[in-house]
Amino acid sequence: MAVHAHPDDESSKGAATTARYAAEGHDVLVVTLTGGERGDILNPAMDRPGILENIAEVRREEMANAAAALGVSQTWLGFVDSGLPEGDPLPPLPDGSFATVPLDEAAEALVRVVRDFRPHVMITYDEHGGYPHPDHIRCHEVSVAAYEQSGDPDAFPGTGEPWTVSKLYYTHGFIRDRMVRFSDEFERHGQESPFKEWLDKWDPSSGDLMGRVTTQITCGDFFTHRDDALRAHATQIDPNGVFFAVPLEWQQRLWPTEEFELAQTRVTTSIPETDLFTGIEE
């Protein structure tokens, strides 16, 4: 089970891994906590009449197409996108939006899905949300709460038979070493790296997420599925943007893995891992 804040997050964070496991015959469920109703149109080609006015419906259709591209099942938790607040000071979040909903209320909704689907592994974001969007941070909090309480028979009565999830992972995508490797390849080909500005601003004292990675999943053969899923989110993903800046062959040759952090486990495993199911009996 991969738990994500908005439609499109499942395609930009751990997507090739979920596609690989689905292709290998595992049941894979993406849980989308909000509808992305407050998302902007980030692809200029989709900035046309009728799209923004019907963004919720458009994004539901995009999500269905992305799930099909990945070969996974998908369900909605039904909360409303909080939007990304901007300004100084930041404005309050909209009343009733996901990040303002009491934690127990959101956790109960996710526990219900966990107890119905009965996953052995859950994937979500770390305590920083991957980036500081309020819905991403709340997604982390809700996912951890559901992991910890779904197996407790006294927690949330009436939401199904208790189910204990074996392992909880955080997905990590902003790996500096990966960006450096791609940048070096651009330079070898006499091209300017699209990551140059990002790397120039990098503060080495801030550390690198690679130091938190415990698990690398080889999934280069499924990068095409990931890219098809990204393109399915046409309002959010510009096909001429940075997601597609690095040639597929370079990615598969230079960095054919996706990175995860084993945050909690109830089974015995050995670090580093190359399989999310290590330690789980069949």
Side-chain angles (χ1 to χ4, degrees), residues 40-49 51-52 62 233-242 244:
D40 297 321
I41 296 177
L42 304 178
N43 176 7
M46 292 296 289
D47 191 5
R48 56 179 193 256
I51 300 298
L52 190 60
E62 291 175 345
H233 290 288
T235 60
Q236 305 302 300
I237 306 296
D238 184 350
N240 300 310
V242 70
F244 305 102

Side-chain angles (χ1 to χ4, degrees), residues 178 182 220 223 226-227 243-257:
R178 179 173 177 266
F182 293 155
F223 287 171
R226 173 204 64 194
D227 289 353
F243 277 111
F244 305 102
V246 182
L248 184 63
E249 185 275 329
W250 295 6
Q251 296 182 55
Q252 292 173 323
R253 172 168 51 87
L254 297 172
W255 201 284
T257 61

Side-chain angles (χ1 to χ4, degrees), residues 40-277:
D40 297 321
I41 296 177
L42 304 178
N43 176 7
M46 292 296 289
D47 191 5
R48 56 179 193 256
I51 300 298
L52 190 60
E53 298 86 344
N54 299 287
I55 192 67
E57 292 80 3
V58 170
R59 297 196 71 177
R60 289 185 77 88
E61 182 177 350
E62 291 175 345
M63 182 65 250
N65 292 335
L70 296 175
V72 303
S73 301
Q74 186 267 340
T75 191
W76 303 90
L77 212 60
F79 293 102
V80 177
D81 186 355
S82 303
L84 183 59
E86 295 179 328
D88 186 13
L90 293 175
L93 296 174
D95 289 342
S97 62
F98 175 57
T100 71
V101 171
L103 179 58
D104 278 356
E105 181 180 335
E108 179 176 6
L110 185 56
V111 164
R112 186 183 298 275
V113 178
V114 169
R115 289 175 173 175
D116 178 65
F117 183 66
R118 300 164 71 85
H120 295 90
V121 171
M122 285 180 64
I123 299 169
T124 190
Y125 317 139
D126 69 10
E127 65 277 9
H128 304 295
Y131 80 108
H133 189 298
D135 286 343
H136 281 243
I137 295 170
R138 198 58 156 174
C139 177
H140 160 80
E141 295 168 346
V142 171
S143 299
V144 171
Y147 173 84
E148 293 175 346
Q149 297 182 75
S150 60
D152 181 355
D154 295 325
F156 307 120
T159 60
E161 291 297 316
W163 174 257
T164 300
V165 183
S166 296
K167 300 171 87 175
L168 175 70
Y169 286 92
Y170 301 152
T171 180
H172 290 307
F174 296 104
I175 305 295
R176 187 180 188 277
D177 288 351
R178 179 173 177 266
M179 298 299 105
V180 169
R181 193 168 297 183
F182 293 155
S183 291
D184 290 346
E185 192 73 5
F186 276 104
E187 291 182 9
R188 278 193 286 270
H189 286 78
Q191 303 174 39
E192 183 174 350
S193 168
F195 310 113
K196 183 178 185 304
E197 183 178 354
W198 186 77
L199 289 170
D200 286 345
K201 293 180 179 178
W202 182 273
D203 179 4
S205 67
S206 65
D208 182 25
L209 289 174
M210 195 63 197
R212 296 181 58 166
V213 169
T214 62
T215 310
Q216 291 185 277
I217 306 301
T218 300
C219 51
D221 289 345
F222 295 90
F223 287 171
T224 53
H225 296 69
R226 173 204 64 194
D227 289 353
D228 287 344
L230 283 166
R231 292 187 187 96
H233 290 288
T235 60
Q236 305 302 300
I237 306 296
D238 184 350
N240 300 310
V242 70
F243 277 111
F244 305 102
V246 182
L248 184 63
E249 185 275 329
W250 295 6
Q251 296 182 55
Q252 292 173 323
R253 172 168 51 87
L254 297 172
W255 201 284
T257 61
E258 289 180 336
E259 282 65 48
F260 300 86
E261 174 186 352
L262 180 60
Q264 296 192 51
T265 182
R266 295 184 170 104
V267 298
T268 301
T269 185
S270 179
I271 304 301
E273 299 176 321
T274 58
D275 183 359
L276 298 181
F277 292 100

